[in-house]
Structures are given as structure tokens and as C-alpha cells.
Amino acid sequence: SQTIHQWPATLVQPVGSPLSLECTVEGTSNPNLYWYRQAAGRGLQLLFYSVGIGQISSEVPQNLSASRPQDRQFILSSKKLLLSDSGFYLCAWRAQGIMKYEQYFGPGTRLTVT
Amino acid sequence: GDSVTQMEGPVTLSEEAFLTINCTYTATGYPSLFWYVQYPGEGLQLLLKATKADDKGSNKGFEATYRKETTSFHLEKGSVQVSDSAVYFCAAGAGSYQLTFGKGTKLSVIP
């Protein structure tokens, strides 16, 4: 069966510091991978998605970036955090294939920028 | 583009009450439809899905029927429990790499 991991689970970082969040998927090959953010009490905002190694699509231009160095690894980064980067960050995967739209989510990372 | 509209809530119900959360969609093509549930502090879990008209998805006592004529996928449960307190998201997927999510409906069930 497939499993998705995210770490760290929680993070408190000062404004202006760098960020690296990691997501890995087990039990599947060549998944589509996604990064979402949830601000407090709000819905999901898609940040990035990737259909393969080194292929990143950005949905929201901002001070965040994403990379996919390996098939089942997805990393979210920032060089300098802003207060507005606080939120709950969710990674998700989806199987490749026609009519396979469902996404499966990780447990999330709670980021607080102080 | 595609869009999903769901009642925003919050919804507060007594234990054993009947639950309906409305969801309607607009999409090009023939979307697959989903309900996700998010418990406090956790990621989203796929609750149920339907891929064609008149399909009924069901799981853990929850049901939703794909109604193409009304472009709706309403979530129902006959008797809610305190443990059902969560945020529920409706989503649609068709022809792209992305899912379109509704804004979520917070459900609180009181004993």
C-alpha cells in the first residue's frame, strides 16, 4: 500500500530565515505530486505540482519554490520567510493514469513564522 | 474554469441528527467527484467518490450521489456522531492534473 510522509510535523521559524519542507511517497512510482497551503480557517491553496522529476509547475508566484530531486520526493523551500508564509502545508500524491483524479494527502506541516 | 461551491457553514448539529452538506460544481467535461474529510490538525482523507452519473459513493455511513442533471454531489449521513466533527471538502477532477476544491464546511456535533 502507498504511504506519504511529511516532515517536520511542526516548525517555528523567524522572519527572514530559510525553509525546507520534505515530502516522500512510498509504494508507488512516478506519481504526480502537489504542495498546498491552508491559512488558518481557510480552504486549500495549490502552490506547486509536479508530473515528473525536475518538472515543477507554479500556481502562485511568491517567495516559495519547489523541487523534485527524486521520483518520490518533493521539497518546498524558501530563502527568506515572511509572516504571511505561516500556515498548514500539505503534500499530496496522485497516481498517473486516465480517470485517476483522486489525491492522497500527507499529515501536514504546521509552520509558524514569528 | 472549473469551480466547486459548497455551503460554508459552520454547521452545528446535535448527536444523531441528519446531516446534509450541499455541493454543486461547474466543469468542462465529465468530472469525477469527491468528498474529503479533515480532522483537526490532520491532513485530508478521501471519504468517498463517484465517477459517473447516478453513482453513489459511500463510506463510514456517509453517502453522496452524482447528479448530473443538477450538477450536484451532496453529502449526507443519517445519524451523526461527535467523532464526525471535522471540515468537509467537496472536490471535482476532470481533464487536468488538478482537483478543484470547495472552500470547506466545518461541522461540529454536540452531545
Side-chain angles (χ1 to χ4, degrees), chain A residues 33-35 47-59 64-70 73-76:
Chain A
L33 296 172
Y34 304 82
W35 278 113
L47 301 175
F48 302 94
Y49 70 91
S50 171
V51 300
I53 296 174
Q55 299 178 62
I56 308 295
S57 296
S58 173
E59 292 296 305
L64 299 173
S65 62
S67 62
R68 185 171 177 174
Q70 301 180 42
Q73 183 184 31
F74 205 23
I75 297 172
L76 183 70

Side-chain angles (χ1 to χ4, degrees), chain A residues 32 34 36 38 42-44 46 49 51 59 88 90 94 96 99-108 110, chain B residues 30-32 34 36 38 41-46 49 51 89 93-99 101-104:
Chain A
N32 290 343
Y34 304 82
Y36 292 87
Q38 266 186 314
R42 304 187 68 177
L44 294 167
L46 178 64
Y49 70 91
V51 300
E59 292 296 305
F88 192 48
L90 290 161
R94 174 194 141 180
Q96 293 275 6
M99 296 297 290
K100 291 184 178 180
Y101 296 105
E102 55 263 42
Q103 295 178 19
Y104 300 93
F105 286 78
R110 175 75 58 190
Chain B
Y30 206 146
S32 294
F34 307 91
Y36 284 84
Q38 185 179 30
E42 299 183 8
L44 277 69
Q45 299 177 25
L46 180 61
K49 69 177 184 181
T51 59
F89 291 90
S96 77
Y97 297 109
Q98 302 176 23
L99 282 179
F101 286 89
K103 294 183 178 180

Side-chain angles (χ1 to χ4, degrees), chain A:
Chain A
S1 65
Q2 299 85 11
T3 309
I4 179 168
H5 303 280
Q6 287 186 244
W7 64 89
T10 60
L11 192 60
V12 180
Q13 292 284 93
V15 168
S17 63
L19 173 73
S20 181
L21 304 181
E22 190 165 343
C23 170
T24 59
V25 181
E26 297 176 353
T28 188
S29 296
N30 198 27
N32 290 343
L33 296 172
Y34 304 82
W35 278 113
Y36 292 87
R37 178 170 63 197
Q38 266 186 314
R42 304 187 68 177
L44 294 167
Q45 178 186 30
L46 178 64
L47 301 175
F48 302 94
Y49 70 91
S50 171
V51 300
I53 296 174
Q55 299 178 62
I56 308 295
S57 296
S58 173
E59 292 296 305
V60 183
Q62 51 195 338
N63 68 318
L64 299 173
S65 62
S67 62
R68 185 171 177 174
Q70 301 180 42
D71 181 44
R72 290 169 289 177
Q73 183 184 31
F74 205 23
I75 297 172
L76 183 70
S77 303
S78 175
K79 293 182 178 178
K80 289 186 177 181
L81 283 168
L82 306 173
L83 284 174
S84 57
D85 291 323
S86 293
F88 192 48
Y89 287 81
L90 290 161
C91 181
W93 73 273
R94 174 194 141 180
Q96 293 275 6
I98 297 172
M99 296 297 290
K100 291 184 178 180
Y101 296 105
E102 55 263 42
Q103 295 178 19
Y104 300 93
F105 286 78
T109 295
R110 175 75 58 190
L111 172 66
T112 303
V113 182
T114 60

Side-chain angles (χ1 to χ4, degrees), chain B residues 39-78:
Chain B
Y39 299 103
E42 299 183 8
L44 277 69
Q45 299 177 25
L46 180 61
L47 182 60
L48 53 83
K49 69 177 184 181
T51 59
K52 61 183 186 293
D54 301 324
D55 262 3
K56 177 184 284 188
S58 61
N59 186 23
K60 300 181 181 180
F62 292 89
E63 293 182 340
T65 301
Y66 192 143
R67 301 289 188 197
K68 190 170 187 295
E69 64 277 13
T70 55
T71 63
S72 65
F73 192 54
H74 304 322
L75 182 68
E76 297 181 336
K77 187 175 185 183

